[in-house]
Each structure stands twice: as structure tokens, then as C-alpha cells.
Coordinates of all heavy atoms in Angstrom, one line a residue:
M1 N 120.3 92.0 107.5 CA 119.9 93.4 107.2 C 119.9 93.6 105.7 O 120.9 93.3 105.0 CB 120.9 94.3 107.9 CG 120.5 95.8 107.9 SD 121.8 96.7 108.8 CE 121.1 98.3 108.8
F2 N 118.9 94.1 105.1 CA 118.7 94.5 103.7 C 118.5 93.2 102.8 O 118.5 93.3 101.6 CB 119.9 95.3 103.1 CG 120.2 96.5 103.9 CD1 121.4 96.8 104.4 CD2 119.2 97.5 104.0 CE1 121.7 98.0 105.0 CE2 119.4 98.7 104.7 CZ 120.7 98.9 105.2
K3 N 118.5 92.0 103.4 CA 118.5 90.8 102.6 C 117.5 90.8 101.5 O 117.8 90.7 100.3 CB 118.3 89.6 103.5 CG 118.4 88.3 102.8 CD 118.3 87.1 103.8 CE 118.3 85.8 103.1 NZ 117.1 85.4 102.5
D4 N 116.2 91.0 101.8 CA 115.1 90.9 100.8 C 114.5 92.3 100.6 O 113.6 92.4 99.7 CB 114.1 89.9 101.2 CG 114.6 88.5 101.4 OD1 115.5 88.2 100.5 OD2 114.3 87.9 102.4
E5 N 114.8 93.3 101.4 CA 114.0 94.5 101.3 C 114.3 95.4 100.2 O 115.4 95.3 99.6 CB 114.1 95.3 102.7 CG 115.4 95.8 103.0 CD 115.5 96.4 104.4 OE1 115.8 95.6 105.3 OE2 115.2 97.6 104.5
C6 N 113.4 96.2 99.8 CA 113.6 97.3 98.8 C 114.4 98.4 99.5 O 114.1 98.9 100.5 CB 112.3 97.8 98.3 SG 112.5 99.2 97.2
V7 N 115.6 98.7 98.9 CA 116.4 99.7 99.4 C 116.4 101.0 98.5 O 117.2 101.9 98.7 CB 117.9 99.2 99.6 CG1 118.0 98.1 100.6 CG2 118.5 98.8 98.2
K8 N 115.4 101.0 97.6 CA 115.2 102.2 96.8 C 116.4 102.5 95.9 O 116.9 103.6 95.9 CB 114.8 103.4 97.6 CG 113.4 103.2 98.2 CD 113.0 104.5 99.0 CE 111.6 104.3 99.6 NZ 111.3 105.4 100.5
C9 N 116.9 101.5 95.3 CA 118.0 101.7 94.3 C 117.5 102.2 93.0 O 118.3 102.7 92.2 CB 118.8 100.4 94.2 SG 118.0 99.1 93.2
G10 N 116.2 102.0 92.7 CA 115.7 102.4 91.4 C 115.9 101.5 90.2 O 115.4 101.8 89.1
Y11 N 116.6 100.4 90.4 CA 116.9 99.5 89.3 C 115.7 99.0 88.6 O 115.6 99.1 87.3 CB 117.7 98.3 89.9 CG 118.0 97.3 88.8 CD1 119.1 97.4 88.0 CD2 117.2 96.1 88.7 CE1 119.4 96.5 87.1 CE2 117.6 95.2 87.7 CZ 118.6 95.4 86.9 OH 118.9 94.4 86.0
C12 N 114.7 98.5 89.3 CA 113.5 97.9 88.6 C 112.8 98.9 87.8 O 112.4 98.7 86.6 CB 112.6 97.2 89.6 SG 112.1 98.2 91.0
C13 N 112.6 100.1 88.3 CA 111.8 101.1 87.6 C 112.6 101.7 86.5 O 112.1 102.4 85.6 CB 111.4 102.2 88.6 SG 110.4 101.6 89.9
S14 N 113.9 101.5 86.5 CA 114.8 102.0 85.4 C 114.8 101.0 84.3 O 115.3 101.4 83.2 CB 116.2 102.3 85.9 OG 116.9 101.1 86.1
K15 N 114.4 99.8 84.5 CA 114.4 98.8 83.5 C 113.1 98.6 82.8 O 113.1 98.5 81.5 CB 114.8 97.4 84.1 CG 116.2 97.3 84.6 CD 117.2 97.5 83.4 CE 118.6 97.6 83.9 NZ 119.5 97.9 82.8
A16 N 112.0 98.7 83.5 CA 110.7 98.6 82.9 C 109.7 99.2 83.8 O 109.6 98.9 85.0 CB 110.3 97.1 82.7
P17 N 108.8 100.1 83.3 CA 107.8 100.7 84.2 C 106.7 99.7 84.5 O 106.4 98.8 83.8 CB 107.2 101.8 83.2 CG 108.1 101.9 82.0 CD 108.8 100.6 81.9
C18 N 106.2 99.9 85.7 CA 105.0 99.1 86.1 C 103.8 99.6 85.3 O 103.9 100.5 84.5 CB 104.8 99.2 87.6 SG 104.1 100.8 88.1
Q19 N 102.6 99.1 85.6 CA 101.4 99.5 84.8 C 101.0 100.9 85.1 O 100.2 101.4 84.3 CB 100.3 98.5 85.1 CG 99.6 98.6 86.5 CD 100.3 97.7 87.5 OE1 101.5 97.5 87.5 NE2 99.5 97.2 88.4
F20 N 101.6 101.6 86.1 CA 101.2 103.0 86.3 C 102.3 103.9 85.7 O 102.1 105.1 85.7 CB 101.2 103.2 87.9 CG 100.2 102.4 88.6 CD1 100.6 101.2 89.2 CD2 98.8 102.7 88.5 CE1 99.6 100.4 89.9 CE2 97.9 102.0 89.2 CZ 98.3 100.8 89.8
G21 N 103.3 103.3 85.3 CA 104.5 104.2 84.8 C 104.4 104.4 83.3 O 103.5 103.9 82.6
A22 N 105.4 105.0 82.8 CA 105.6 105.2 81.3 C 107.1 105.4 81.0 O 107.8 106.0 81.8 CB 104.8 106.4 80.9
W23 N 107.5 104.8 80.0 CA 108.9 104.9 79.6 C 109.3 106.3 79.2 O 108.6 107.0 78.5 CB 109.2 103.9 78.4 CG 110.6 103.8 78.1 CD1 111.2 104.4 77.0 CD2 111.6 103.1 78.8 NE1 112.6 104.0 77.1 CE2 112.8 103.2 78.1 CE3 111.6 102.3 80.0 CZ2 114.0 102.7 78.6 CZ3 112.7 101.7 80.4 CH2 113.9 101.9 79.7
D24 N 110.5 106.7 79.6 CA 111.0 108.0 79.3 C 112.0 107.8 78.2 O 113.1 107.2 78.4 CB 111.7 108.6 80.5 CG 112.2 110.0 80.3 OD1 112.6 110.4 79.1 OD2 112.1 110.8 81.2
D25 N 111.7 108.3 77.0 CA 112.5 108.0 75.8 C 113.9 108.8 75.9 O 114.8 108.4 75.3 CB 111.8 108.5 74.5 CG 110.7 107.5 74.1 OD1 110.9 106.3 74.4 OD2 109.7 108.0 73.5
V26 N 113.9 109.9 76.6 CA 115.1 110.6 76.7 C 116.1 110.1 77.8 O 117.2 109.8 77.5 CB 114.8 112.1 77.0 CG1 116.1 113.0 77.1 CG2 113.9 112.7 75.9
R27 N 115.5 110.0 78.9 CA 116.4 109.6 80.1 C 116.5 108.1 80.2 O 117.4 107.5 80.8 CB 115.7 110.2 81.4 CG 116.5 110.0 82.6 CD 115.8 110.6 83.8 NE 114.6 109.8 84.1 CZ 114.0 109.8 85.3 NH1 114.4 110.5 86.3 NH2 112.9 109.1 85.5
G28 N 115.5 107.3 79.7 CA 115.4 105.9 79.9 C 114.7 105.6 81.3 O 114.7 106.5 82.1
G29 N 114.2 104.5 81.4 CA 113.5 104.2 82.7 C 112.1 104.8 82.8 O 111.6 105.5 81.8
C30 N 111.5 104.6 83.9 CA 110.1 105.2 84.1 C 110.3 106.7 84.3 O 111.1 107.2 85.1 CB 109.4 104.5 85.3 SG 107.8 105.3 85.6
R31 N 109.4 107.4 83.7 CA 109.5 108.9 83.8 C 109.0 109.4 85.2 O 109.3 110.5 85.5 CB 108.6 109.6 82.7 CG 107.2 109.5 82.9 CD 106.4 110.2 81.8 NE 106.8 109.7 80.5 CZ 106.1 109.9 79.4 NH1 105.0 110.6 79.4 NH2 106.5 109.4 78.2
F32 N 108.4 108.5 86.0 CA 108.0 108.9 87.3 C 109.0 108.5 88.4 O 108.7 108.8 89.6 CB 106.6 108.3 87.6 CG 105.6 108.7 86.6 CD1 105.1 107.8 85.7 CD2 105.1 110.0 86.6 CE1 104.1 108.2 84.8 CE2 104.2 110.5 85.7 CZ 103.7 109.6 84.7
L33 N 110.1 108.0 88.0 CA 111.2 107.7 89.0 C 112.0 109.0 89.3 O 112.5 109.6 88.3 CB 112.1 106.6 88.4 CG 113.2 106.1 89.3 CD1 112.7 105.4 90.5 CD2 114.1 105.2 88.5
T34 N 112.0 109.4 90.5 CA 112.6 110.7 90.8 C 114.1 110.5 90.9 O 114.6 109.4 91.0 CB 112.0 111.3 92.2 OG1 112.5 110.4 93.2 CG2 110.5 111.3 92.2
E35 N 114.8 111.7 91.1 CA 116.2 111.7 91.2 C 116.7 110.8 92.4 O 117.8 110.2 92.3 CB 116.7 113.1 91.4 CG 116.6 114.0 90.2 CD 117.6 113.6 89.1 OE1 118.7 113.4 89.4 OE2 117.2 113.6 87.9
N36 N 115.9 110.8 93.5 CA 116.3 110.0 94.6 C 115.6 108.7 94.7 O 115.5 108.1 95.8 CB 116.2 110.8 95.9 CG 114.8 111.3 96.1 OD1 114.0 111.3 95.2 ND2 114.5 111.8 97.3
N37 N 115.3 108.2 93.5 CA 114.7 106.9 93.4 C 113.4 106.6 94.1 O 113.1 105.6 94.6 CB 115.7 105.8 93.8 CG 116.9 105.8 92.8 OD1 116.7 106.0 91.6 ND2 118.1 105.6 93.3
E38 N 112.6 107.7 94.2 CA 111.3 107.6 94.7 C 110.3 107.5 93.6 O 110.6 107.9 92.5 CB 110.9 108.9 95.6 CG 111.8 109.2 96.7 CD 111.5 108.4 98.0 OE1 110.4 107.9 98.1 OE2 112.4 108.4 98.9
C39 N 109.1 107.0 93.8 CA 108.1 106.9 92.8 C 107.2 108.2 93.0 O 106.6 108.4 94.0 CB 107.2 105.7 93.0 SG 105.8 105.7 91.9
A40 N 107.2 109.0 91.9 CA 106.4 110.3 92.0 C 104.9 110.0 92.0 O 104.1 110.9 92.3 CB 106.8 111.2 90.8
K41 N 104.5 108.8 91.7 CA 103.1 108.5 91.7 C 102.6 107.6 92.9 O 101.6 107.1 93.0 CB 102.7 107.7 90.4 CG 102.8 108.5 89.2 CD 102.4 107.7 88.0 CE 100.9 108.0 87.7 NZ 100.5 107.3 86.4
Y42 N 103.5 107.6 93.9 CA 103.3 106.7 95.0 C 101.9 106.9 95.7 O 101.2 106.0 95.9 CB 104.4 106.9 96.1 CG 104.2 106.0 97.3 CD1 104.6 104.7 97.3 CD2 103.7 106.6 98.5 CE1 104.4 103.9 98.5 CE2 103.5 105.9 99.6 CZ 103.9 104.5 99.6 OH 103.7 103.8 100.7
E43 N 101.6 108.2 96.0 CA 100.4 108.5 96.7 C 99.1 108.1 95.8 O 98.1 107.6 96.4 CB 100.3 110.0 97.0 CG 101.3 110.4 98.0 CD 101.2 109.7 99.4 OE1 100.1 109.3 99.7 OE2 102.2 109.6 100.0
E44 N 99.2 108.2 94.5 CA 98.2 107.8 93.6 C 98.0 106.3 93.6 O 97.0 105.7 93.7 CB 98.4 108.3 92.2 CG 97.5 107.9 91.2 CD 97.9 108.2 89.8 OE1 98.7 109.2 89.6 OE2 97.6 107.4 88.8
I45 N 99.2 105.6 93.5 CA 99.2 104.2 93.3 C 98.7 103.4 94.6 O 97.9 102.5 94.5 CB 100.6 103.7 93.0 CG1 101.0 104.2 91.6 CG2 100.7 102.2 93.0 CD1 102.4 103.9 91.2
I46 N 99.1 103.9 95.8 CA 98.7 103.1 97.0 C 97.2 103.2 97.3 O 96.7 102.4 98.1 CB 99.5 103.6 98.2 CG1 99.3 105.1 98.5 CG2 100.9 103.2 98.2 CD1 99.8 105.5 99.9
K47 N 96.5 104.1 96.6 CA 95.0 104.1 96.7 C 94.3 103.0 95.9 O 93.1 102.7 96.1 CB 94.5 105.5 96.3 CG 94.9 106.6 97.2 CD 94.3 108.0 96.8 CE 94.9 109.1 97.7 NZ 95.3 110.2 96.9
M48 N 95.0 102.4 95.0 CA 94.4 101.4 94.2 C 94.3 100.1 95.0 O 95.3 99.7 95.7 CB 95.3 101.1 92.9 CG 95.6 102.3 92.1 SD 94.1 102.9 91.3 CE 94.6 104.4 90.5
P49 N 93.2 99.4 94.8 CA 93.0 98.1 95.6 C 94.1 97.1 95.3 O 94.4 96.3 96.2 CB 91.6 97.7 95.2 CG 91.2 98.5 94.1 CD 92.1 99.7 94.0
Y50 N 94.6 97.0 94.1 CA 95.6 96.0 93.8 C 97.0 96.4 93.9 O 97.9 95.7 93.5 CB 95.3 95.5 92.3 CG 95.1 96.6 91.3 CD1 96.1 97.3 90.7 CD2 93.8 97.0 91.1 CE1 96.0 98.3 89.8 CE2 93.6 98.1 90.2 CZ 94.7 98.7 89.6 OH 94.5 99.7 88.7
A51 N 97.2 97.6 94.5 CA 98.6 98.1 94.6 C 99.5 97.2 95.5 O 100.7 97.2 95.4 CB 98.6 99.5 95.2
D52 N 98.8 96.4 96.4 CA 99.6 95.5 97.3 C 100.3 94.5 96.5 O 101.3 93.9 96.9 CB 98.6 94.8 98.2 CG 98.2 95.7 99.3 OD1 98.7 96.8 99.4 OD2 97.3 95.2 100.1
F53 N 99.7 94.1 95.3 CA 100.3 93.1 94.5 C 101.2 93.6 93.4 O 102.2 93.0 93.0 CB 99.2 92.2 93.8 CG 98.2 91.7 94.8 CD1 97.0 92.3 95.0 CD2 98.6 90.6 95.7 CE1 96.1 91.8 96.0 CE2 97.7 90.1 96.6 CZ 96.4 90.7 96.8
S54 N 100.8 94.7 92.8 CA 101.6 95.3 91.8 C 101.4 96.8 91.7 O 100.3 97.2 91.6 CB 101.2 94.6 90.4 OG 102.0 95.2 89.4
P55 N 102.5 97.5 91.9 CA 103.9 97.2 91.9 C 104.4 96.7 93.3 O 105.6 96.5 93.4 CB 104.6 98.5 91.6 CG 103.6 99.6 92.1 CD 102.3 99.0 91.9
A56 N 103.5 96.4 94.2 CA 103.8 95.7 95.5 C 104.9 96.5 96.3 O 105.9 96.0 96.7 CB 104.4 94.3 95.2
F57 N 104.6 97.8 96.5 CA 105.4 98.6 97.4 C 105.5 97.9 98.8 O 104.5 97.4 99.3 CB 104.8 100.0 97.6 CG 104.9 100.8 96.4 CD1 103.7 101.5 96.0 CD2 106.1 101.1 95.7 CE1 103.8 102.3 94.9 CE2 106.1 101.9 94.6 CZ 105.0 102.5 94.2
G58 N 106.6 97.8 99.3 CA 106.8 97.2 100.7 C 106.8 95.7 100.7 O 106.9 95.1 101.8
A59 N 106.8 95.1 99.6 CA 106.8 93.6 99.5 C 108.2 93.0 99.4 O 108.4 91.8 99.2 CB 105.9 93.1 98.4
G60 N 109.2 93.9 99.4 CA 110.6 93.4 99.2 C 111.1 93.6 97.8 O 110.4 94.2 96.9
C61 N 112.3 93.3 97.6 CA 112.9 93.5 96.3 C 112.5 92.5 95.2 O 112.5 91.3 95.5 CB 114.5 93.5 96.4 SG 115.3 93.8 94.8
C62 N 112.1 93.0 94.1 CA 111.7 92.1 93.0 C 112.8 91.8 92.1 O 112.7 90.9 91.2 CB 110.6 92.8 92.2 SG 111.1 94.3 91.4
S63 N 114.0 92.4 92.2 CA 115.1 92.1 91.3 C 116.4 92.1 92.1 O 117.3 92.9 91.9 CB 115.2 93.3 90.3 OG 114.0 93.4 89.6
P64 N 116.6 91.2 93.0 CA 117.8 91.2 93.9 C 119.0 90.6 93.2 O 120.1 90.8 93.6 CB 117.4 90.4 95.1 CG 116.3 89.4 94.6 CD 115.6 90.1 93.4
L65 N 118.8 89.8 92.1 CA 119.9 89.0 91.6 C 120.7 89.8 90.5 O 120.0 90.5 89.7 CB 119.4 87.7 91.0 CG 118.8 86.7 91.9 CD1 118.3 85.5 91.2 CD2 119.8 86.3 93.0
F66 N 122.0 89.8 90.5 CA 122.8 90.4 89.6 C 122.5 91.9 89.5 O 122.5 92.5 88.4 CB 122.7 89.8 88.2 CG 122.8 88.3 88.3 CD1 121.8 87.4 88.0 CD2 124.1 87.7 88.6 CE1 121.9 86.1 88.1 CE2 124.2 86.3 88.7 CZ 123.1 85.5 88.4
N67 N 122.1 92.5 90.6 CA 121.7 93.9 90.6 C 122.8 94.7 91.3 O 122.8 94.9 92.5 CB 120.4 94.0 91.4 CG 119.8 95.4 91.4 OD1 120.5 96.4 91.1 ND2 118.5 95.5 91.6
E68 N 123.7 95.2 90.4 CA 124.8 96.0 90.9 C 124.4 97.3 91.6 O 125.0 97.7 92.6 CB 125.8 96.2 89.7 CG 127.1 96.9 90.1 CD 128.0 96.0 91.0 OE1 127.7 94.8 91.2 OE2 129.0 96.5 91.5
R69 N 123.4 97.9 91.1 CA 122.9 99.1 91.6 C 122.4 98.9 93.0 O 122.6 99.8 93.9 CB 121.8 99.6 90.7 CG 121.3 101.0 90.9 CD 120.6 101.5 89.6 NE 119.7 102.5 89.9 CZ 119.1 103.2 89.0 NH1 119.3 103.0 87.7 NH2 118.2 104.2 89.3
R70 N 121.7 97.8 93.2 CA 121.2 97.5 94.6 C 122.3 97.2 95.5 O 122.4 97.7 96.7 CB 120.2 96.4 94.5 CG 119.6 96.0 95.9 CD 118.5 95.0 95.7 NE 117.8 94.8 97.0 CZ 118.1 93.9 97.9 NH1 119.1 93.1 97.7 NH2 117.4 93.8 99.0
R71 N 123.3 96.5 95.0 CA 124.5 96.1 95.8 C 125.2 97.4 96.3 O 125.5 97.5 97.5 CB 125.4 95.2 95.0 CG 126.5 94.6 95.9 CD 127.6 94.0 95.1 NE 128.3 94.9 94.3 CZ 129.2 95.8 94.8 NH1 129.5 95.8 96.1 NH2 129.8 96.6 94.0
K72 N 125.4 98.3 95.4 CA 126.0 99.6 95.8 C 125.2 100.4 96.8 O 125.8 101.0 97.7 CB 126.3 100.4 94.5 CG 127.5 99.9 93.7 CD 127.8 100.7 92.5 CE 129.0 100.2 91.8 NZ 129.1 100.8 90.4
K73 N 123.9 100.4 96.6 CA 123.1 101.2 97.5 C 123.2 100.6 98.9 O 123.3 101.3 99.9 CB 121.6 101.1 97.0 CG 120.6 101.9 97.9 CD 120.8 103.4 97.7 CE 119.8 104.2 98.7 NZ 118.5 104.4 98.1
I74 N 123.1 99.3 99.0 CA 123.3 98.6 100.3 C 124.6 98.9 100.9 O 124.7 99.2 102.1 CB 123.1 97.0 100.1 CG1 121.6 96.8 99.8 CG2 123.5 96.3 101.4 CD1 121.3 95.3 99.4
E75 N 125.6 98.9 100.1 CA 127.0 99.2 100.6 C 127.0 100.6 101.2 O 127.5 100.8 102.3 CB 128.0 99.1 99.4 CG 129.3 98.7 99.8 CD 130.1 98.5 98.5 OE1 130.7 99.5 97.9 OE2 130.2 97.4 98.0
S76 N 126.4 101.6 100.5 CA 126.4 103.0 101.0 C 125.5 103.1 102.2 O 125.9 103.8 103.1 CB 126.0 103.9 99.9 OG 124.6 104.0 99.8
L77 N 124.4 102.4 102.3 CA 123.6 102.4 103.5 C 124.3 101.8 104.7 O 124.2 102.3 105.8 CB 122.3 101.6 103.2 CG 121.3 102.3 102.3 CD1 120.2 101.3 101.9 CD2 120.7 103.6 102.8
R78 N 125.1 100.8 104.4 CA 125.8 100.2 105.5 C 126.9 101.1 106.0 O 127.1 101.2 107.2 CB 126.5 98.9 105.1 CG 125.5 97.7 105.0 CD 126.2 96.4 104.9 NE 125.2 95.3 105.0 CZ 125.0 94.4 104.1 NH1 125.8 94.3 103.0 NH2 124.1 93.4 104.3
C79 N 127.5 101.8 105.1 CA 128.5 102.9 105.5 C 127.9 103.9 106.4 O 128.5 104.4 107.3 CB 129.2 103.5 104.3 SG 130.3 102.4 103.4
Q80 N 126.7 104.4 106.0 CA 126.0 105.4 106.7 C 125.7 104.9 108.1 O 125.8 105.7 109.1 CB 124.7 105.8 106.0 CG 124.9 106.7 104.8 CD 123.6 106.9 104.0 OE1 122.5 106.8 104.6 NE2 123.8 107.1 102.7
T81 N 125.3 103.7 108.3 CA 124.9 103.2 109.6 C 126.1 102.9 110.5 O 126.0 102.9 111.7 CB 124.0 101.9 109.5 OG1 124.7 100.9 108.8 CG2 122.7 102.2 108.9
N82 N 127.3 102.8 109.8 CA 128.5 102.6 110.6 C 129.2 103.8 111.0 O 130.3 103.8 111.6 CB 129.5 101.6 109.8 CG 128.9 100.2 109.7 OD1 128.2 99.8 110.6 ND2 129.3 99.5 108.7
T83 N 128.7 105.0 110.5 CA 129.4 106.3 110.8 C 128.8 106.9 112.1 O 127.8 106.6 112.6 CB 129.3 107.3 109.7 OG1 127.9 107.5 109.3 CG2 130.1 106.8 108.5
Ligands
SF4_1 S1 115.5 96.8 92.3 FE1 114.7 96.0 94.3 S2 115.7 97.4 95.8 FE2 115.9 98.4 93.8 S3 114.1 99.7 93.7 FE3 113.5 97.8 92.7 S4 112.6 96.6 94.4 FE4 113.7 98.2 95.4
SF4_2 S1 106.6 102.2 90.7 FE1 106.4 104.4 90.1 S2 108.5 104.9 89.4 FE2 108.3 102.7 89.4 S3 107.7 102.1 87.4 FE3 105.8 102.3 88.6 S4 105.2 104.4 88.3 FE4 107.2 104.3 87.7

């Protein structure tokens, strides 16, 4: 469970925006990353023919290693499913 999947921790979009994003000089990270780690441009991006490849929504996690933010999100999701 959660081994390779994207758990919406927001880590990757907080480090470098994809080609649809833009860096937020004030907050850091992509300016289209919402408070709950959703992509505000999701509906626009999935209409693009190459969206399957980049940013590859639904293709799994692109940054699973040494990702503390993802680890914590998985931990909290596991707690939710055990309650
Ligand atoms: S780092 Fe991985 S789990 Fe976190 S948002 Fe990006 S793809 Fe999803
Ligand atoms: S997927 Fe969305 S939130 Fe993430 S970097 Fe691209 S535009 Fe920004």
C-alpha cells in the first residue's frame, strides 16, 4: 500500500514546477500548488495530449527517495485508515 503511488504530499511541486507551473518567489514552490497539495491547473493540464508523460498525473511518485514529506503523509494516511 502506497509503495509507488502519488499520495499528494506536494514535495515535487514544491521543489521545481513542471512545464505548466511557475515558481512562487514569496512562498516557494509552484504557485499553482494548493494548500491541500492539489494542482490548481489539473483540469487544464489533463487536456494536453502529452500530459500522460509530463507531469504524468497518475503515473506514481516521481520523488520517493529521501522524501520526508511523503513519508509523513503516508504515515498520516495509514493512521486514518486504521481509525
Ligand atoms: S513527491 Fe511523489 S507523492 Fe509527493 S506529490 Fe510528488 S509525485 Fe506525489
Ligand atoms: S503539476 Fe501543477 S502544481 Fe505541480 S508543478 Fe505542475 S502546475 Fe504546478
Side-chain angles (χ1 to χ4, degrees):
M1 191 178 184
F2 305 125
K3 186 174 173 283
D4 300 318
E5 68 188 88
C6 173
V7 295
K8 296 183 179 174
C9 73
Y11 176 84
C12 53
C13 304
S14 74
K15 292 296 174 189
C18 71
Q19 71 270 37
F20 300 99
W23 187 256
D24 185 326
D25 285 330
V26 177
R27 188 183 65 158
C30 178
R31 71 176 59 158
F32 300 108
L33 184 64
T34 67
E35 291 287 317
N36 55 349
N37 295 322
E38 302 275 344
C39 173
K41 295 184 93 176
Y42 179 79
E43 294 299 331
E44 174 192 332
I45 293 172
I46 57 168
K47 290 181 185 134
M48 304 291 177
Y50 45 85
D52 284 353
F53 305 104
S54 181
F57 291 130
C61 180
C62 61
S63 306
L65 298 177
F66 312 109
N67 184 340
E68 188 62 10
R69 192 159 154 169
R70 183 172 187 270
R71 191 194 64 74
K72 283 183 178 163
K73 180 75 185 272
I74 289 172
E75 210 172 84
S76 83
L77 290 170
R78 284 196 172 124
C79 285
Q80 284 171 29
T81 54
N82 290 334
T83 54

